[in-house]
Amino acid sequence: MTAKADRPFDIVVYGATGYTGRLVAEYLAHHYQGKGPKWAMAGRSAAKLAQVRDLIGAPADTPLAVANSDDPASMRALAESTRVVVTTVGPYQLYGEPLLAACVAAGTDYADLCGEPVWMRQMADKYHAAAQASGARIAFSSGFDSIPFDLGVLMLQQEAKARFGAPAPRVKGRVRAMQGKFSGGTAASLTATMTALGKDPSLVPIMVSAFGLTPGFEGPAQPRGDAPEYDEALGSWCAPFIMAVINTKNVHRTNLLLGHPYGADFVYDEMVLTGPGEQGEAIAKHVAATPMIGTENDPKPGEGPTKEERDTGHYDVLFLGEYPDGRTIRYGVKGRYDPGYGSTSRMLAETGIALLACPAGGAIATPGALLGQALVQRLRDHAEITFAVED
């Protein structure tokens, strides 16, 4: 096996012909052309890869690699050709393990967009020790789920300790604004997860517990966040947030992996702010009663928002840290572009680049635990995401 420093590529984008993979490749081609990492596009079809390369305006000499998750030898060759793999090929519980296993064996760093907590827990249980041994850094959930939330809490707690000398024992993640659509891949992942739970009910506790990704640690009771409620501290009604089921688990996993810098008694939840008064209450109840994904109108895999929809999308998340004596601290994370695709493609690419300089040891981990403030800085500098204390 070639030593990591001598491999031909720094980053390979696996799934570059898919909807989100194409956006990641396009971002690398235009943002880092001639001055960034050595990168390649990978997928099942050489002809489709060449077509996408031309479509996104990537240089004609951009390397193309044919690889298929059904073929273990091609996964091994892909992992051994690069220092980092970023993969958009989901649902990961159906297609992800062969590439992850190859990266762990080769000591290759890996980042994905996985929002499938049951599969993530299974992979952590199965490969964490091997990743530690090989030095592979495996960063799940390196997109809108869960980077703004994982890193938002991390940064709030750093500021809280600097200001008050101790972490905030209670943090609320509250989506103040969000405009963007989900793609067929997101819908397919949810469908695959529900199918897996139906086949094996023993997996349900992982899905329903906020500590589903913290094996061996069970913290205090957490807010359910599954019904409308009025938040006195913010003067607003709140509705359930569809991504909370994965984000909260990743926030608690980061806390565990870093040695509980937020405290072992840390309480965290996420909801969407819908405004004050009767109108805010009505919106919260409507959101709670309306299925976001899992209807006949779901887009198909490979489909997603138009360029105009991606470019006009945005998101704004508030993190409110609270102390028992009434002290509070507010931290905001705001992103330009549609969260699930325009911004997510940038987050995944920048996670891959941040892994190139990552000093951490091998682990199945989170972007917050592996990369922390280094990734925050990259996202500020390159991805048009702001992280800031709000006074």
Side-chain angles (χ1 to χ4, degrees):
M1 191 186 341
T2 311
K4 277 181 82 170
D6 300 326
R7 294 179 183 179
F9 307 122
D10 295 318
I11 296 177
V12 171
V13 181
Y14 180 56
T17 59
Y19 183 91
T20 310
R22 190 180 77 227
L23 295 177
V24 177
E26 186 174 27
Y27 175 78
L28 288 171
H30 293 279
H31 201 77
Y32 289 103
Q33 194 164 357
K35 64 181 190 308
K38 296 177 291 181
W39 69 283
M41 298 165 58
R44 289 180 298 181
S45 163
K48 280 189 179 174
L49 286 166
Q51 198 176 16
V52 170
R53 178 183 61 193
D54 297 341
L55 185 71
I56 65 176
D61 61 355
T62 302
L64 308 177
V66 176
N68 190 332
S69 57
D70 292 343
D71 177 4
S74 76
M75 292 288 95
R76 191 165 57 247
L78 183 69
E80 292 177 359
S81 72
T82 184
R83 295 168 62 196
V84 177
V85 171
V86 297
T87 172
T88 60
V89 180
Y92 294 93
Q93 60 200 285
L94 300 182
Y95 308 114
E97 186 172 357
L99 179 56
L100 187 148
C103 286
V104 168
T108 300
D109 296 338
Y110 161 111
D112 69 18
L113 299 174
C114 190
E116 303 162 41
V118 171
W119 182 77
M120 291 160 58
R121 172 62 183 272
Q122 291 170 327
M123 295 301 98
D125 289 348
K126 190 170 179 180
Y127 292 107
H128 186 64
Q132 288 178 309
S134 74
R137 279 77 62 101
I138 308 296
F140 291 139
S141 306
S142 303
F144 185 65
D145 45 324
S146 299
I147 278 177
F149 306 90
D150 185 18
L151 296 182
V153 174
L154 183 86
M155 295 300 288
L156 176 140
Q157 294 289 28
Q158 287 185 8
E159 294 287 346
K161 279 184 265 191
R163 183 175 295 188
F164 300 128
R170 170 76 171 107
V171 174
K172 300 172 180 175
R174 296 293 181 259
V175 179
R176 288 186 286 206
M178 187 168 73
Q179 182 173 321
K181 292 185 176 181
F182 64 90
S183 85
T186 303
S189 290
L190 179 68
T191 301
T193 295
M194 299 318 289
T195 301
L197 296 177
K199 286 181 182 171
D200 185 355
S202 72
L203 301 174
V204 171
I206 297 172
M207 193 70 182
V208 299
S209 171
F211 298 98
L213 295 179
T214 60
F217 175 77
E218 188 79 23
Q222 303 288 309
R224 289 172 60 98
D226 59 354
E229 63 180 57
Y230 184 74
D231 190 325
E232 293 280 357
L234 294 168
S236 174
W237 279 88
C238 305
F241 178 43
I242 191 170
M243 310 313 301
V245 69
I246 177 63
N247 294 336
T248 53
K249 291 175 177 60
N250 278 321
V251 167
H252 286 296
R253 182 161 176 81
T254 293
N255 190 31
L256 173 82
L257 292 171
L258 294 178
H260 288 111
Y262 315 159
D265 57 349
F266 177 61
V267 175
Y268 176 70
D269 74 326
E270 293 175 0
M271 299 191 80
V272 179
L273 296 180
T274 59
E278 291 180 4
Q279 184 180 10
E281 182 179 10
I283 295 170
K285 288 178 176 175
H286 174 74
V287 170
T290 305
M292 301 288 288
I293 297 178
T295 72
E296 60 186 21
N297 298 320
D298 287 349
K300 303 292 179 281
E303 296 177 353
T306 64
K307 184 178 188 309
E308 184 184 0
E309 288 169 333
R310 294 195 307 269
D311 288 351
T312 55
H314 56 85
Y315 53 92
D316 175 357
V317 185
L318 169 70
F319 297 91
L320 177 65
E322 299 179 330
Y323 292 81
D325 61 6
R327 292 176 298 172
T328 62
I329 182 168
R330 295 164 66 103
Y331 200 92
V333 178
K334 300 177 185 178
R336 203 184 145 199
Y337 306 110
D338 132 78
Y341 299 88
S343 189
T344 277
S345 55
R346 289 162 168 81
M347 286 186 246
L348 180 60
E350 292 298 340
T351 300
I353 294 171
L355 282 167
L356 291 171
C358 176
I364 307 269
T366 59
L370 284 172
L371 300 166
Q373 208 154 346
L375 181 55
V376 170
Q377 198 56 51
R378 289 211 69 84
L379 297 174
R380 282 173 166 157
D381 292 346
H382 301 281
E384 298 179 73
I385 302 175
T386 61
F387 294 80
V389 176
E390 298 183 3
D391 284 319

